[in-house]
Amino acid sequence: MKILLTIQDTSIAPRFDQATEVMIAEHDGQRLHGEPRTIILPHRSAEELSDLIVKEGVDCVICGGIEESYHKFFTWKKIRVYDGIIGSHAEALQRFLKGQLLSGMILPSAQDG
Amino acid sequence: MLSIDCFIKRIPEYARFSFPLLSVLLTGNSGKEEPPLTDFPVPVPKRTMSYDFTHILSQGMYPALLNAVPHGIAVTNRDCKIVAINQTLEVLTGVMSADAQGVYVDFVLRSNIARRGRTFRDVLAGGEPAVIEGDIVSRDRRKIPMRFTITPLQTAEEQTIGLIIVLDDLSAVVHPAGLEGDSDISESIIGHSAKMREVFELIPLMAHTEASILITGETGTGKDKIAEAIHKRSNRGSKPFIKINCGALPEALLESELFGYVKGAFTGATKDKPGMFRLAQGGTLFLTEIGDMPLPLQVKLLSVLDDREFFPLGGERKVQVDVRIIAATHRPLKERVAQGLFREDLFYRLNVLQLHLPPLRERESDIRFLINHFLRFFAERTGGSVKTFSDEALRLLMEYAFPGNIRELRNVVEYCTNICQHQQIGVDDLPKQLLAHARPASRPPLPSSPPSAPKAAEPSRETARDWMSIEKEMIIDTLTQTRGNRSKAAALLGWGRTTLWRKLKIHGLMSPTAPNNEQG
């Protein structure tokens, strides 16, 4: 299974449509398979990012603020979305694998740094 | 440069809150014994100058101060981390002030102006306020246009200690809904109802993919317009958009129209014909009434969709095409699949993305809007002044179900604007079939009587008899209007041609010599 996180440096990017970097990780629901890979996007585009998510066969997206239309699109495509996440992508991923991530969560790492 | 006392002076610009509150903030006392502050410049007591920002916050009054302002406000420290946000911003972002403390403002606001925090840092470094227009994504996932006023906060010693960011909602002044861009298309697709907003939201997403789209919806709901809007907004927008009605042509003709033929393929084929697929090369082929496509052609279409190549009629060389397919139908395709009238594999091939257009009766809030739009449209076309509907006529229109959807509404408005000789369109100017439908609603209620089975049955028989005569009258009216053209009459009535044919038989309106080939 594949998970995609929209990132900005070490954090989850505040907005899905403004993200220029994504991290894709493969997992079995409990642990990661291999190293997550990072993709730098050529420019900000929610539509192109949505395309990438569908083409990559991603089944879960972790992101910051996302518009309803994209959220619906992913739900329609059976892609789970954890949105409104604030904090480091490492912590978000860790919590996701432990089944402890919820949409709108402000992670403790959000106050770090 | 804005010192802390200047900041306090500026607060009334953002909102008109009570002076005692300001007094409390300035003095740290109840404010009652302080002289009232009347005008700018605010006569700030000398001792206030010694108050630094942290001190003000420590007074415990800042939440009331911030919450009194009817705009979103975020106060940050020098690191652009949230110190406090007011209730308005809490509602917008879904983040509570206590939870937001210590988080980079950028992550809480979810704006498009932050540039990874550079915008805020620039204001901190430059010391000059900045006003920037942008947007935020709210907790309910709406993109809201905002004006951001970012002001540095400074102490009396002109030491910058943070930022105050005021968010002014511009939704009211920025175009609120509808399909943006492509003015000609956005003007022709109108809708403010929640269901149409959902459709509008999906159009850009669907435009961006290459997958086939199936647009469903009753007749007159605007399937063609939506298909064109998707095409125009796609990467293929500058390439051809070819529309073909699969229900309008016999099988052999439809095949030659779609796939073309080579010279000599059949009698009368005196030159090569490229066919719609080749004409739409690089663009979009819109197959409307796909549910009426004959079965043998469905096989060929499926093969083209899979292989992206085909043989024109009588041709020996394969033609490769790069065409996106958008199909539309008012028929329930799944049911037709079950009946064996539509190939299941083609259904799944076309139904990659599905867009359902709601009928007008499910878009009540749009009816009035559309009526006004068509009134303006026909006034412009005829060069006359814009007419209006009387309250009673408008009520009848709002109560009517519009089985022919927007097409019928448009025709009704056109009929009324042409028939009505006055500035205000009254009930008498409405088409008869509409009045016939609306009559039961406007009829005064029956006097109450004790319930008894025979009596209860009587009105229902009455209604049924009434309805049959009303329906007959309606059919005759519509056929007269369309000069006997049954296809047009069926479309106006919002029925299929078969339904109209059946009803003509029921009402004895079929002429004995009329051909029986109207089915399908």
Side-chain angles (χ1 to χ4, degrees), chain B residues 228-344:
Chain B
E228 200 172 346
I230 293 172
H231 165 75
K232 290 267 183 197
R233 292 178 148 246
S234 72
N235 294 335
R236 297 171 179 268
S238 57
K239 300 283 172 54
F241 174 77
I242 305 283
K243 175 185 164 182
I244 185 157
N245 189 327
C246 303
L249 300 170
E251 184 186 330
L253 190 54
L254 183 60
E255 186 175 7
S256 68
E257 283 294 313
L258 277 175
F259 305 107
Y261 53 77
V262 294
K263 184 180 174 183
F266 49 82
T267 313
T270 53
K271 58 177 182 178
D272 288 358
K273 182 177 170 123
M276 299 298 185
F277 262 102
R278 268 192 283 183
L279 289 176
Q281 179 66 17
T284 306
L285 184 62
F286 177 47
L287 303 169
T288 178
E289 304 302 352
I290 190 82
D292 296 329
M293 182 179 261
L295 269 170
L297 260 189
Q298 291 178 22
V299 185
K300 193 162 180 180
L301 177 63
L302 179 68
S303 141
V304 178
L305 290 177
D306 285 339
D307 306 335
R308 305 256 157 206
E309 55 185 19
F310 63 89
F311 287 103
L313 282 174
E316 290 173 354
R317 291 177 64 183
K318 268 191 176 176
V319 175
Q320 291 195 330
V321 284
D322 168 28
V323 171
R324 185 189 191 183
I325 299 289
I326 302 180
T329 182
H330 69 279
R331 298 193 186 278
L333 275 194
K334 269 200 167 171
E335 282 177 29
R336 287 184 77 79
V337 169
Q339 291 163 2
L341 296 170
F342 200 83
R343 287 184 66 95
E344 192 174 9

Side-chain angles (χ1 to χ4, degrees), chain B residues 43-277:
Chain B
V44 183
K46 194 73 183 164
R47 56 190 160 139
T48 315
M49 304 300 282
S50 63
Y51 276 52
D52 67 11
F53 179 58
T54 322
H55 197 156
I56 289 171
L57 296 181
S58 70
Q59 295 302 305
M61 289 309 297
Y62 71 93
L65 178 73
L66 296 181
N67 293 338
V69 183
H71 300 295
I73 298 181
V75 181
T76 76
N77 61 17
R78 269 203 67 82
D79 297 327
C80 296
K81 287 183 172 181
I82 296 278
V83 174
I85 61 174
N86 71 347
Q87 279 174 356
T88 310
L89 198 57
E90 281 181 347
V91 171
L92 279 171
T93 59
V95 178
M96 301 310 288
S97 186
D99 299 333
Q101 280 174 20
V103 177
Y104 279 112
V105 64
D106 192 8
F107 292 99
V108 175
L109 293 185
R110 297 179 198 127
S111 74
N112 66 339
I113 62 150
R115 299 184 297 135
R116 291 179 169 238
R118 279 204 303 277
T119 304
F120 304 117
R121 286 197 296 275
D122 287 351
V123 174
L124 273 172
E128 289 296 323
V131 179
I132 305 166
E133 288 192 5
D135 54 54
I136 64 159
V137 171
S138 67
R139 73 183 295 186
D140 55 355
R141 305 190 187 107
R142 277 186 306 132
K143 194 187 264 186
I144 305 173
M146 289 282 177
R147 182 185 295 121
F148 300 81
T149 306
I150 311 164
T151 312
L153 287 172
Q154 293 177 329
T155 60
E157 292 77 33
E158 298 200 343
Q159 186 194 352
T160 305
I161 52 167
L163 290 173
I164 179 162
I165 304 160
V166 180
L167 287 80
D168 193 2
D169 189 343
L170 300 178
S171 313
V173 285
V174 176
H175 194 277
L179 190 58
E180 287 160 13
D182 301 325
S183 60
D184 52 331
I185 297 173
S186 58
E187 277 170 23
S188 62
I189 304 173
I190 297 159
H192 283 248
S193 61
K195 288 197 173 182
M196 282 313 286
R197 275 172 189 259
E198 283 177 21
V199 171
F200 291 148
E201 281 171 4
L202 283 174
I203 287 175
L205 293 173
M206 291 196 164
H208 199 73
T209 67
E210 281 291 307
S212 302
I213 301 175
L214 180 64
I215 305 174
T216 57
E218 291 179 12
T219 180
T221 45
K223 297 185 284 291
D224 298 24
K225 301 262 183 208
I226 296 289
E228 200 172 346
I230 293 172
H231 165 75
K232 290 267 183 197
R233 292 178 148 246
S234 72
N235 294 335
R236 297 171 179 268
S238 57
K239 300 283 172 54
F241 174 77
I242 305 283
K243 175 185 164 182
I244 185 157
N245 189 327
C246 303
L249 300 170
E251 184 186 330
L253 190 54
L254 183 60
E255 186 175 7
S256 68
E257 283 294 313
L258 277 175
F259 305 107
Y261 53 77
V262 294
K263 184 180 174 183
F266 49 82
T267 313
T270 53
K271 58 177 182 178
D272 288 358
K273 182 177 170 123
M276 299 298 185
F277 262 102

